[in-house]
Amino acid sequence: MKKIILLVEDLADEQVKAKQAVTDEGYRFVVASTLAEAKKVFGMVKIDGIVTDLHFPESEYDKNANNACGFAVIVVAIKNEIPVAVCSNVNHHFAEYVKDVIAFLETVSPFKKIPFVMDSKDWVRAIKEIKNLIEKEV
Amino acid sequence: MKKVLIVSKDGPIRGAMERVCGLLADITVLVADHKSALQIFLSEEPDFVLVFDYEEKGGSGFGGVETFNILKNSATNEKIFRLGFSSYKYKDYIRMPFELPDLYAKFK
């Protein structure tokens, strides 16, 4: 079976772009649109890499898309020793708190790197970054 | 042969649906609970998936909503249906109880 990339993204249009980027790199995608779904996926299949948005709902029953649930996904990825990248359209001018948090999480990640694509959701670049981490691990 | 994946938290439901769908010609039936559904979905690549236990009432804990969302968003060409007892207007929703001919028509 192909290696599996977990995409965590709640917007349908962005999911389409992300899925295409994963397929183009020869991987199989699995998509979660909430934090609850992402956590459920961890218990269902072996994930080889994760690319996550930063702000999305916590569950199907919570429609607040402004929660920074992406940080929770990063923590779960680190605990399970799975490479993770962030793909977000957060503006780099207002992203200091995000950069600070990710910089700290990198220090405790077994890969010592959490690629962070910001300003626009460039899924192609994010998937290439995660591919580099996956292939380095192999 | 078309493959149908039945996903339900209840063993008796999985068994009954396996027998019922197995009566159809040209259909191979796979069964899974919500925890194993994604693994089987990815490895077997079924043509159709029936996700039971679909209930949107907050915190129902049946698992059907999350399983359906994950499989639906992760699908390539698979047709995925959600099943439950409540009334919803989704085109891919089958309200239970249902008539078998109506179910079989979904597999065409």
Side-chain angles (χ1 to χ4, degrees):
Chain A
M1 206 161 79
K2 290 180 182 177
K3 286 192 188 286
I4 297 172
I5 303 293
L6 170 60
L7 300 167
V8 191
E9 168 61 60
D10 59 320
L11 300 176
D13 291 348
E14 295 297 334
Q15 286 178 1
V16 169
K17 293 182 213 169
K19 287 193 271 194
Q20 188 60 57
V22 170
T23 303
D24 288 345
E25 291 296 337
Y27 296 125
R28 179 60 168 99
F29 54 78
V30 170
V31 179
S33 53
T34 68
L35 178 59
E37 285 172 19
K39 285 182 175 178
K40 188 166 177 172
V41 168
F42 281 115
M44 292 168 99
V45 290
K46 179 184 174 297
I47 299 294
D48 297 286
I50 301 166
V51 181
T52 180
D53 184 16
L54 209 47
H55 297 92
F56 48 86
E58 191 161 354
S59 76
E60 175 71 17
Y61 309 104
D62 159 35
K63 296 303 177 186
N64 183 353
N66 293 321
N67 291 328
C69 293
F71 290 129
V73 172
I74 296 172
V75 168
V76 176
I78 290 171
K79 279 186 183 174
N80 289 280
E81 299 188 354
I82 302 171
V84 59
V86 179
C87 188
S88 170
N89 57 2
V90 67
N91 187 307
H92 73 274
H93 292 296
F94 305 107
E96 287 308 315
Y97 84 95
V98 175
K99 289 184 211 168
D100 289 344
V101 174
I102 290 181
F104 171 75
L105 291 171
E106 278 185 321
T107 66
V108 295
S109 161
F111 304 94
K112 300 303 176 197
K113 184 174 180 184
I114 298 175
F116 180 21
V117 175
M118 64 182 105
D119 294 328
S120 67
K121 286 187 177 175
D122 187 342
W123 293 101
V124 172
R125 184 152 65 100
I127 301 303
K128 284 192 192 301
E129 292 272 12
I130 209 67
K131 183 177 181 179
N132 288 339
L133 288 178
I134 291 171
E135 290 180 354
K136 225 187 250 183
E137 187 190 4
V138 170
Chain B
M1 283 287 258
K2 291 182 185 172
K3 282 187 198 174
V4 177
L5 171 60
I6 309 290
V7 182
S8 170
K9 65 180 176 57
D10 297 313
I13 299 276
R14 294 194 297 268
M17 288 304 303
E18 187 173 17
R19 282 192 293 279
V20 157
C21 291
L23 294 172
L24 294 171
D26 301 330
I27 294 278
T28 299
V29 185
L30 306 162
V31 294
D33 57 20
H34 292 289
K35 189 169 163 114
S36 59
L38 182 58
Q39 180 65 48
I40 295 175
F41 177 79
L42 294 172
S43 60
E44 295 289 337
E45 298 179 330
D47 300 282
F48 303 96
V49 183
L50 302 179
V51 180
F52 284 78
D53 313 309
Y54 188 90
E55 177 53 67
E56 290 180 1
K57 277 189 206 137
S60 67
F62 294 154
V65 172
E66 281 169 357
T67 300
F68 173 80
N69 286 340
I70 290 167
L71 297 187
K72 184 80 177 177
N73 287 332
S74 306
T76 49
N77 299 311
E78 303 86 349
K79 288 192 183 149
I80 305 179
F81 299 96
R82 37 188 152 177
L83 294 90
F85 292 100
S86 294
S87 176
Y88 299 114
K89 290 193 181 347
Y90 308 116
K91 284 185 186 170
D92 53 18
Y93 182 74
I94 301 172
R95 188 174 183 187
M96 296 185 348
F98 51 82
E99 300 291 334
L100 287 177
D102 295 336
L103 177 67
Y104 293 156
K106 304 283 186 197
F107 299 152
K108 291 190 179 143

